[in-house]
Amino acid sequence: MRRRLFLPLLPLLAGLLASLPPLSPSLAQERSITVSSTTSTEQSGLFGHILPIFTAKTGIAVRVVALGTGQALDVGRRGDADVVFVHDRAAEERFVAEGYATRRYPVMYNDFVLAGPKADPAGVRAAGADIAAALKAIAERKAAFISRGDRSGTHAAELRLWRQAGIDPAATGGGWYKEIGQGMGPALNTAAAAEAYLLADRGTWISFRNRRGLAIVTEGDQRLFNQYGVMLVNPARHPHVKQAEGQAFIDWLVSQEGQAAIAGYRIDGEQLFFPNAGDPRG
């Protein structure tokens, strides 16, 4: 009996459903992008500062995959991210040349610092700002050195600096040079526990609280400059890339508002990143 009473209602329900307007794609699915980025932007706290500002303005949520720069670029090559935001200009330019992106945008910069035990057993402070001389002093004394060893932008910079100093640390023997294959935060923790030297990006260094006996021993050399760039993964290669949303994020980063948000991120009054989207040298 109940089934017979319900059947006459079906045409009425169907008519009501048909009269409702269809859900727009923006309502049916949250607007979001995936950004593959270096650990320094994540562990320094920068993303925690700027992403809520971007999302509040655009309604686009951002999921961050934080890896070393080399791995972050690999994520983009596979099409598993919409945007890549990293800090190894040579690798970024190869990414564009290989067709995985059509353009690289400079966004911001800071610098690398050489940190080590406050007692400075290798005597690198005597080298002043000369990073090559500092590394030579570490190698000569076989003082403990922690390398990220993770194909990150910081690792690439470290290897480049060793080459400029004329040293292959992995070939010297003695066990003083250790690659750990981890991000900046774990590398800093390892160096602090081992009373070792390491190269760090200044942003993560400033935000790092577990320094123990570590201090900056070398800084200020022009060779320690650290530029960041952002790229949209090429939708011609990976058609599922969210081109409109990804480009909106890039456009915001290089806009006056985005650059101001980056400049406004400080810890204890100290600025971590310096916007330079308009600088052709970036």
Side-chain angles (χ1 to χ4, degrees):
M1 180 64 69
R2 291 179 181 175
R3 186 175 181 182
R4 292 176 182 174
L5 290 173
F6 181 72
L7 287 174
L9 296 175
L10 290 177
L12 178 61
L13 289 171
L16 287 172
L17 290 172
S19 67
L20 293 174
L23 283 174
S24 67
S26 61
L27 293 176
Q29 185 176 4
E30 178 189 33
R31 297 178 71 201
S32 65
I33 58 172
T34 296
V35 175
S36 180
S37 188
T38 168
T39 59
S40 61
T41 48
E42 177 79 5
Q43 293 175 357
S44 66
L46 175 69
F47 277 151
H49 173 73
I50 68 171
L51 294 185
I53 301 172
F54 169 73
T55 299
K57 180 179 178 64
T58 64
I60 302 171
V62 180
R63 171 180 172 261
V64 176
V65 178
L67 300 163
T69 287
Q71 293 171 303
L73 289 167
D74 287 343
V75 170
R77 287 187 177 91
R78 295 194 301 268
D80 293 334
D82 304 294
V83 173
V84 179
F85 189 0
V86 290
H87 65 139
D88 183 350
R89 180 167 180 169
E92 294 161 37
E93 290 174 344
R94 284 197 301 272
F95 191 81
V96 173
E98 293 166 354
Y100 292 104
T102 58
R103 181 178 174 184
R104 171 192 174 273
Y105 300 77
V107 178
M108 62 189 188
Y109 70 92
N110 60 11
D111 63 346
F112 295 107
V113 298
L114 183 67
K118 291 179 181 177
D120 190 19
V124 301
R125 286 193 179 95
D130 188 337
I131 185 62
L135 293 175
K136 286 178 182 177
I138 292 171
E140 287 170 0
R141 292 165 177 80
K142 296 190 184 301
F145 188 97
I146 299 300
S147 170
R148 284 180 56 171
D150 63 349
R151 296 175 56 231
S152 62
T154 303
H155 183 217
E158 178 218 313
L159 295 179
R160 181 172 64 250
L161 292 168
W162 283 117
R163 287 194 299 271
Q164 291 172 354
I167 298 167
D168 181 358
T172 60
W176 61 276
Y177 181 82
K178 296 180 180 178
E179 294 183 313
I180 63 170
Q182 297 189 55
M184 196 71 258
L188 281 162
N189 282 321
T190 301
E195 297 184 344
Y197 293 91
L198 87 164
L199 189 74
D201 71 277
R202 191 180 292 273
T204 309
W205 170 259
I206 292 172
S207 64
F208 181 62
R209 299 301 183 184
N210 186 32
R211 296 177 184 175
R212 301 188 193 180
L214 291 182
I216 294 176
V217 293
T218 302
E219 61 182 330
D221 193 312
Q222 291 184 351
R223 290 169 288 188
L224 294 171
F225 181 78
N226 181 28
Q227 176 72 45
Y228 289 77
V230 67
M231 299 169 288
L232 178 74
V233 175
N234 191 350
R237 187 177 286 267
H238 295 292
H240 60 273
V241 164
K242 297 176 181 177
Q243 181 175 3
E245 291 84 355
Q247 190 63 49
F249 178 58
I250 292 171
D251 291 344
W252 182 82
L253 282 175
V254 302
S255 72
Q256 184 175 357
E257 181 181 1
Q259 296 278 280
I262 291 168
Y265 179 53
R266 298 169 184 264
I267 294 179
D268 297 332
E270 190 168 2
Q271 186 171 338
L272 278 71
F273 299 94
F274 298 84
N276 68 339
D279 188 345
R281 299 168 297 175

